[in-house]
Amino acid sequence: MRYLSEAVTSELVDEELALAAARSAFTSDGAVFPVVIGHTLTEGQRFTVKSGSTGTATGVKVGTYWHGNSELGLPRHGSTTLLLDPETGRLSAVIEAAAANAMRTAAADALAVQALARDDASTLTVVGTGTQAFYEAAAVARVRPIARVLISGRSEAKAAQLADRLSAHLSVPVTPTSIQAAVEAADVLVTVTTSREPLFNAEWVRPGTHVSAMGADGPGKQELPTALHARAALFCDVIEQTRTLGEFQHAPQHMPITPLRDVLRGDAPGRVIRDQVTIFDSSGFALQDLTLAEHILAAHTAREAT
Amino acid sequence: MRYLSEAVTSELVDEELALAAARSAFTSDGAVFPVVIGHTLTEGQRFTVKSGSTGTATGVKVGTYWHGNSELGLPRHGSTTLLLDPETGRLSAVIEAAAANAMRTAAADALAVQALARDDASTLTVVGTGTQAFYEAAAVARVRPIARVLISGRSEAKAAQLADRLSAHLSVPVTPTSIQAAVEAADVLVTVTTSREPLFNAEWVRPGTHVSAMGADGPGKQELPTALHARAALFCDVIEQTRTLGEFQHAPQHMPITPLRDVLRGDAPGRVIRDQVTIFDSSGFALQDLTLAEHILAAHTAREAT
């Protein structure tokens, strides 16, 4: 049994590895099983179990959200993936990958932006100032010529902090901005909040904008106005999940939703016209975790061999 | 992170530990989340994911069934439990427990026999000759004055093998017997097969018999005749599971099913009259795996301390 601790995996993962793993997850064959959302008997402790199987990996990712961790000085989110030996079904690896998980999620968003946003998209707006917001902006900036980033959040202090960190990382201007001005200026708009109601008005979104909704991951959660769903082309990772747990639980039932997988494989069109609004909803699926774990294990093997 | 390999756990677990863990699972408060049944892209490879949370443990058990393992000289079933730290949600332990898992399942059966079978039950009939059959018989013999065991199975050779092994373990006569004679003589009847249709006729079961149906664990599986369900008092581990995955997916919808938990806690009656047929269906639930893991870890700690 191979075990890689958080300390080891957080050193091994970078944006490039995460993007390669995401591409593999979105283009390889695989089976994804229903997501389980569990709560402990203590309030503010939630975990999700995502399981799946590809041709080369079968396993389970347990994602945790312990609200009280901040008081202990620890991140609220945790992530552990367990891989089975394809030949025998026995435990083959356990990988703690909380930091890597943030990059994995951002990499899926970057893939969607690469496939769906206008080629010349240069203004990135991020709504949300939590840990994940940083990774989202960093990943998107790798796939489009982002020249400025606008940040909108409820806390001015957190928005300013994120702006400082991001401008250092990306070497472009990053500016805390009011929600309306930030949304109106966006070429690419990423929402990454825990919201349960629309974050802005649909009219503020310009034609041609690409929206990646990364936040909604449970029943009742919602970041975008329903009027925006209604006028956009909708894309997702897993249809069953987006309709039950993701942003598109609020989309009109008759509207088609295209799996990003089909676009990446060339089986379905992505953006068809320049003035279209495209929305990608990410709820996260097990194949991302399996391919990430495989890429991390391969990187670890390569490092040990040198 | 604590890791206990199969070699370690199989040495630490015995019937007494398994029974104590089962009693704790069936009497403590906890939450059980939906079971996931997954298949890899290769035929004959199935895994189940069971997750739950008690006051002291939160985690996930991944049970595997790799049909091809027999050709490799390996058991088909595997089992790994992952425990989270209650304070932080981080990975705290990984426990491989395939052998222990067989005892865990048998211990639930023994608990049901203890709660529901007549006190003087002395003839035990086991239908099925697989690995699990041995553990079931051994566990039941600990809680009732079993004086003889009858074995019924499709393979005479396997029935004879099991009889030899069991009689050595229990020091009582163990006899391969035709299905009708075995069922007719039973005080306690344990079915432990992978059947998808009733194994015998309902009329063969005498009044006062207790039946533990251990086999059915997926849609379409069935061991008992529906006519027997209809005339018996029905008990289970988890209602939602028994109605969808377990034996009682075939029971009349109007019939009440009592959780064994309620009987053990004194909140519901068990056997009310001597001539009643009682049936316990076990589909297995995460709290058994969590309490088993806790008991194994405690035993390991105790052993290390000496």
Side-chain angles (χ1 to χ4, degrees):
Chain A
M1 201 277 287
R2 286 176 78 180
Y3 165 63
L4 302 188
S5 69
E6 182 64 33
V8 171
T9 63
S10 60
E11 262 186 23
L12 286 170
V13 176
D14 58 21
E15 286 163 0
E16 194 181 330
L17 182 148
L19 193 63
R23 183 169 292 281
S24 164
F26 273 93
T27 53
S28 61
D29 289 318
V32 175
F33 306 107
V35 174
V36 177
I37 300 182
H39 294 85
T40 77
L41 305 184
T42 304
E43 205 174 332
Q45 298 182 348
R46 186 176 96 116
F47 65 99
T48 59
V49 183
K50 291 179 172 168
S51 55
S53 188
T54 70
T56 55
T58 296
V60 176
K61 192 268 286 275
V62 182
T64 54
Y65 178 83
W66 254 239
H67 192 81
N69 275 5
S70 359
E71 285 162 35
L72 305 173
L74 295 172
R76 288 175 176 169
H77 287 278
S79 182
T80 301
T81 299
L82 181 158
L83 289 185
L84 303 176
D85 182 324
E87 298 303 315
T88 65
R90 295 305 153 77
L91 177 66
S92 69
V94 173
I95 296 168
E96 288 182 282
N101 195 63
M103 286 197 190
R104 147 210 177 274
T105 300
D109 184 16
L111 266 189
V113 168
Q114 203 169 35
L116 300 170
R118 281 183 283 116
D119 286 341
D120 57 356
S122 61
T123 296
L124 167 64
T125 292
V126 177
V127 183
T129 57
T131 312
Q132 189 63 29
F134 174 84
Y135 292 104
E136 297 296 327
V140 169
R142 288 178 69 88
V143 297
R144 281 296 180 271
I146 299 302
R148 63 166 178 165
V149 181
L150 308 178
I151 305 282
S152 170
R154 286 173 303 183
S155 153
E156 281 185 28
K158 288 184 73 180
Q161 252 174 13
L162 175 61
D164 285 350
R165 207 176 144 212
L166 260 181
S167 63
H169 183 77
L170 297 177
S171 308
V172 301
V174 182
T175 321
T177 309
S178 76
I179 179 77
Q180 181 166 357
V183 170
E184 285 176 345
D187 296 319
V188 172
L189 172 60
V190 177
T191 57
V192 53
T193 73
T194 58
S195 183
R196 295 183 161 268
E197 54 195 34
L199 297 163
F200 50 80
N201 294 338
E203 317 69 273
W204 299 347
V205 178
R206 285 189 303 178
T209 301
H210 170 76
V211 184
S212 282
M214 310 304 289
D217 61 355
K221 293 203 178 170
Q222 177 173 14
E223 298 187 291
L224 309 183
T226 311
L228 188 64
H229 297 154
R231 68 175 235 241
L234 309 185
F235 301 86
C236 72
D237 47 13
V238 180
I239 298 245
E240 298 73 24
Q241 289 179 198
T242 194
R243 286 276 192 204
T244 53
L245 308 174
E247 180 62 30
F248 297 146
Q249 58 189 293
H250 311 287
Q253 276 299 318
H254 69 272
M255 286 194 67
I257 302 175
T258 305
L260 182 61
R261 163 183 303 266
D262 293 354
V263 178
L264 293 175
R265 285 178 155 200
D267 297 337
R271 168 177 297 275
V272 180
I273 50 170
R274 191 172 162 81
D275 273 357
Q276 203 168 22
V277 171
T278 51
I279 305 178
F280 171 66
D281 173 50
S282 162
S283 52
F285 63 110
L287 305 193
Q288 291 172 268
D289 304 304
L290 298 180
T291 58
L292 180 71
E294 285 185 299
H295 278 72
I296 291 175
L297 284 169
H300 186 252
T301 301
R303 197 184 67 179
E304 297 294 293
T306 59
Chain B
M1 200 277 288
R2 285 176 79 180
Y3 166 61
L4 302 188
S5 69
E6 182 65 34
V8 171
T9 62
S10 60
E11 262 186 24
L12 286 169
V13 176
D14 58 21
E15 287 163 0
E16 194 180 329
L17 182 148
L19 193 63
R23 183 169 292 282
S24 165
F26 273 93
T27 52
S28 61
D29 289 318
V32 174
F33 306 106
V35 174
V36 177
I37 300 183
H39 294 85
T40 77
L41 306 184
T42 304
E43 205 175 331
Q45 299 181 347
R46 186 176 94 118
F47 65 98
T48 59
V49 183
K50 290 179 174 170
S51 55
S53 188
T54 69
T56 54
T58 296
V60 176
K61 192 267 287 274
V62 181
T64 54
Y65 177 83
W66 253 238
H67 191 81
N69 275 5
S70 357
E71 285 162 34
L72 306 173
L74 294 170
R76 288 175 176 169
H77 287 277
S79 182
T80 301
T81 300
L82 182 159
L83 289 184
L84 303 177
D85 182 323
E87 298 302 315
T88 65
R90 295 305 152 80
L91 177 66
S92 70
V94 174
I95 295 168
E96 288 182 281
N101 195 62
M103 287 197 190
R104 147 210 177 274
T105 300
D109 183 17
L111 266 188
V113 168
Q114 204 169 35
L116 299 171
R118 281 184 283 116
D119 286 341
D120 58 357
S122 62
T123 296
L124 167 63
T125 291
V126 178
V127 183
T129 57
T131 313
Q132 189 62 29
F134 174 85
Y135 293 104
E136 297 296 326
V140 170
R142 288 178 68 90
V143 298
R144 281 297 179 270
I146 299 302
R148 64 166 177 164
V149 180
L150 308 178
I151 306 283
S152 171
R154 286 174 304 181
S155 153
E156 282 186 25
K158 289 184 74 179
Q161 253 175 10
L162 175 61
D164 285 351
R165 204 175 147 213
L166 261 181
S167 64
H169 184 78
L170 297 177
S171 307
V172 301
V174 182
T175 319
T177 309
S178 76
I179 179 78
Q180 180 165 358
V183 170
E184 286 177 347
D187 295 319
V188 172
L189 173 59
V190 177
T191 58
V192 54
T193 73
T194 58
S195 185
R196 294 183 162 266
E197 52 195 36
L199 297 163
F200 50 80
N201 294 337
E203 312 78 87
W204 298 348
V205 178
R206 286 188 303 180
T209 301
H210 169 75
V211 184
S212 282
M214 310 304 288
D217 61 355
K221 292 202 179 173
Q222 176 172 16
E223 297 187 292
L224 309 183
T226 311
L228 188 64
H229 297 154
R231 69 176 236 241
L234 309 186
F235 301 86
C236 72
D237 47 13
V238 180
I239 299 244
E240 298 73 24
Q241 290 181 198
T242 194
R243 287 277 192 203
T244 54
L245 307 174
E247 180 62 30
F248 297 145
Q249 59 189 293
H250 311 286
Q253 276 300 319
H254 68 271
M255 287 194 66
I257 302 176
T258 305
L260 182 61
R261 162 183 305 265
D262 293 354
V263 178
L264 293 175
R265 286 179 155 199
D267 296 335
R271 169 176 296 275
V272 179
I273 50 170
R274 191 173 162 81
D275 274 355
Q276 203 168 22
V277 171
T278 51
I279 305 178
F280 170 66
D281 174 50
S282 162
S283 53
F285 63 111
L287 305 193
Q288 290 172 269
D289 305 305
L290 298 180
T291 58
L292 180 71
E294 285 185 299
H295 279 72
I296 291 175
L297 284 169
H300 186 252
T301 302
R303 197 183 69 178
E304 297 294 293
T306 56

